[in-house]
Amino acid sequence: MNFNDEAIKKVLLAGNYIEEKDIAIAEEYAKEHRGSFVDYLLGQGLLSRAIIGQAFAESFGVSYSDLEAHSPRKEQVFLIPEELAKKYRTVVYSQKGSDVVIATDDPTQEELLANLQPLFPDKKLTITLAIPDEIDAIFANYHLGLGAIFAKIIDSKGRAAPEIINQIFEEALLLKVSDIHCEPEEHRVVIRFRIDGVLHDVGEMPKEYYENIVNRLKVQSKLRIDEHFSAQDGVIRYASPSHTEMVDLRVSIVPTLDGEKVAIRILSSSVRDLGLSDIGLSLALQEQIIKSAKKPFGMILVTGPTGSGKTTTLYSIIKIINTRGTNITTIEDPVEYKIHGINQIQVNTQTNLTFGNGLRAIMRQDPNTIFVGEIRDLETADIAVNAALTGHLMLSTFHANNAATAIPRFIDMGVEPFLVGSTLELIVGQRLVRKICDSCKVSFRINKVAELESFGSEVARHFKDGATLYKGNGCEVCSHTGYKGRIGVFEFLSTSPELQNLIAKSPSTKDVMALIKSQGFVSMFEDGIEKVKAGMTTIEEVLRVVGS
Ligand SMILES: [Zn+2]
């Protein structure tokens, strides 16, 4: 909604809020001074923001909500997720019993009520009008408020950098953030946190303080501070006052047009709840994975894009087979968790300890099981296949969209197809979906499957009339997002004799899919739908990460 001068003039006159002669004087003045006649009227006291709001509200036939006089509380603001709020430019103005008053600067939006109503089941929503820049001011609540903290530190200190950095680290640990991004723009630097896979803006600072911050981060991660034009990677071992153990932070600095962008991955230093059920594997899949992992040789590949939880799955497998009678050696980049009783090697390109060289060295150490962080070139793939053929269980991640595409992609690297067929034991495809928050989970029934048609027929065909679904209403625990934590959705492709024969012929993804579908393959999407039915996640979330 655009509240420009013309529009304001129209509604003011239409509602008899102001006389034509006053507008004429104001316009004359505005023309002379190259200003806005609204500013003049405001300045002369002939008009107030509330009157403008009233006039517009009346023109839309709704009430006016004065956000400046009655600012909603932060927890009320969070009742509408940021994305939705900004899309429809809405905030919750007030809430009394079952009555919820919504303010927007455009009450004419058709889908507005329909899209907000699901957030407030059993409540009566009333749409009212608010002034655009007052709505923008309320949106600032969505930011977690690091910006205000930065400003305070900058005001009170000459040397602000160490304190700002600690503030960012502490806030990130508190919110269980996986990545911190410092993104320089032309005049400011935006700090963003990735929480449960989604990036959120959490604060900003003036750019003049940024150089000191980057310099300090470089010193802490033992990088060159005089280097501004090439990418650098390092690690900070951070001793947090609020944590008993050290936290490893992997720092990556990349030059951009507006300055050096810093991304920091927070690595947990030990494996806690990493059971196969914790990551979301059904009992049937757990049995299958244990059966494959207990074979003395062969290869298990876990595929998926970056951040899909591949390494976590492999660590869970390693935990199962980690007994005193066997030797497990890993080569990783980076070592993400330390596991007691296994030998973990960190890739180091400066000393030429690559995946390939490391793997060759490990082979001379007589291991039973080898975990290679990632197979990404022919050299590593060749050694891995050989290891798997000669009595070792090989575990690795592989960058492919799903289990079926991994087969042609692996062959494309240059490995003999028949060798791929005879070593591959199991390919796991996976993604992470957000879990519905347990503290505010509610169920609801769909009367007719047709209500799900908007998700596509691929989704709808998995449900029946009267099916029960679940969602999170939003609460303090989940920062009003309705989601808390993540869980994997999986697909398993274990090699049958028929598939081995097919792989030897260098098949396309389509060929592979055709065969495994006839053998009862369950895709990640289908596993996701099962998790929707079980109330673990939502249809929206499954479609977001897997598609259909
Ligand atoms: Zn919740």
Side-chain angles (χ1 to χ4, degrees), residues 214-227:
V214 174
N215 279 346
R216 179 157 174 94
L217 286 171
K218 284 178 176 171
V219 171
Q220 286 180 303
S221 40
K222 300 181 184 65
L223 301 176
R224 289 183 52 174
I225 53 169
D226 57 345
E227 176 58 77

Side-chain angles (χ1 to χ4, degrees), residues 437-441 472-483:
C437 169
D438 284 326
S439 307
C440 59
K441 188 191 286 187
N473 265 339
C475 66
E476 287 291 313
V477 174
C478 58
S479 305
H480 302 279
T481 58
Y483 295 102

